[in-house]
Amino acid sequence: MTRRIISWIAIAATAAPFAFLILGAMSDSESIARLDFSQASLSNLNANLEGIADAGILQAMTNTLAICIPMVLLQCASSVLAAYAFAFFDFKRKRLLYTLIIGSYLIPAVATLLPLYFVMTAAGLKGSPAGILLPFALYSPYAVALLRERFEAVPREILDQARIDGLGSWSLLIRVVLPISKSFVTLLAVITFISTWNAYLWPRLIAGTEWPTITVAIAGLQSQYDSHWNLVLSAALLAVIPALIAFALSRRNLVRNPLAEIEI
């Protein structure tokens, strides 16, 4: 009984912000200020969506997708290759290099923003999508550590059988290691997509309003004298959709049998 009560409380705590988001998107600004959602309606939602379209939110979503897709592809590819090297190859200073990569994860992200800003500005990338993308596209200590641990857990008998059958390093990665680790790679892709989609500080610093991402555009809906909460909540509701779609599309891979797709 206690577990059921705790479960319902957890569900309510999770659902309440989404309910507020939906009701707020269907209300006007004055009703939201009074926390009165009795006048929530689809007509208000349509009006709010028209308002955020005029404010450039749809273009900001397109800009953000233009960053998220290459970020996911590049970060997953580089992390898979690095993790594979650390898991299966021996080379000089391997342990030291891995320690430095993982140690860099302990450096607060805020501490690196100013140096990165000066580097990107000097390279002429301020106000461009490349300025947002390049500093983080090929480097993720968290991803390397996650995938390395997964790769090292691949059953050795499967690897030995694959080598006996004549698979080289590339074939071993593509036909054995990646299919077994597909759920982890999918998890990494979802985490990368959502974190890039939700990023605010770095896109605001390096690109600002010249190339606004969705978070920067939503923040821009609020002015010094008027918060426009109906537009903010409508834009936030719209911004949640791509993340939900990404999770829905990846859900099957997250729960799939890791040994089901090996072809040797």
Side-chain angles (χ1 to χ4, degrees):
M1 186 64 181
T2 303
R3 288 184 179 180
R4 183 174 298 179
I5 293 174
I6 294 175
S7 298
W8 280 110
I9 292 175
I11 292 172
T14 303
F18 287 99
F20 182 85
L21 184 64
I22 295 171
L23 291 173
M26 299 174 67
S27 304
D28 56 46
S29 188
E30 295 180 358
S31 298
I32 296 172
R34 299 193 307 268
L35 296 179
D36 178 14
F37 299 116
S38 60
Q39 302 300 319
S41 65
L42 291 178
S43 61
N44 285 334
L45 177 61
N46 290 331
N48 292 336
L49 291 178
E50 291 177 3
I52 63 176
D54 294 338
I57 294 297
L58 297 181
Q59 180 60 50
M61 291 184 69
T62 303
N63 293 347
T64 311
L65 281 175
I67 297 296
C68 288
I69 293 174
M71 180 74 81
V72 170
L73 295 176
L74 291 172
Q75 199 170 106
C76 286
S78 62
S79 299
V80 164
L81 294 177
Y84 185 65
F86 281 118
F88 296 109
F89 293 95
D90 291 323
F91 50 88
K92 192 174 182 180
R93 302 287 188 269
K94 171 182 174 179
R95 182 168 296 182
L96 175 61
L97 182 59
Y98 184 74
T99 302
L100 291 175
I101 290 176
I102 300 304
S104 66
Y105 189 63
L106 302 177
I107 301 174
V110 177
T112 64
L113 290 183
L114 202 55
L116 285 175
Y117 175 80
F118 289 133
V119 170
M120 292 296 107
T121 302
L125 298 177
K126 187 178 185 297
S128 70
I132 303 174
L133 178 66
L134 289 180
F136 306 102
L138 299 176
Y139 181 69
S140 174
Y142 167 79
V144 173
L146 174 71
L147 293 178
R148 175 180 176 266
E149 293 299 318
R150 176 58 189 139
F151 290 171
E152 289 185 338
V154 174
R156 292 298 164 182
E157 56 270 19
I158 294 178
L159 298 176
D160 293 339
Q161 179 185 346
R163 292 189 178 101
I164 292 173
D165 289 341
L167 295 188
S169 297
W170 281 107
S171 298
L172 191 68
L173 171 63
I174 295 171
R175 297 176 61 181
V176 178
V177 176
L178 280 181
I180 291 178
S181 308
K182 181 177 288 187
S183 60
F184 280 75
V185 177
T186 302
L187 175 63
L188 171 62
V190 172
I191 291 174
T192 303
F193 180 88
I194 293 177
S195 61
T196 305
W197 183 268
N198 291 334
Y200 172 76
L201 188 56
W202 176 246
R204 179 67 180 86
L205 182 64
I206 194 65
T209 56
E210 298 176 55
W211 182 274
T213 59
I214 184 64
T215 52
V216 175
I218 290 175
L221 293 174
Q222 303 181 69
S223 66
Q224 182 178 359
Y225 303 104
D226 193 350
S227 295
H228 300 291
W229 285 114
N230 56 327
L231 300 183
V232 171
L233 293 176
S234 299
L237 179 62
L238 199 61
V240 168
I241 295 175
L244 294 178
I245 293 174
F247 178 77
L249 293 177
S250 63
R251 186 174 62 86
R252 185 178 177 184
N253 284 334
L254 290 175
V255 299
R256 181 174 293 173
N257 180 2
L259 301 179
E261 299 187 12
I262 301 177
E263 296 181 2
I264 299 178

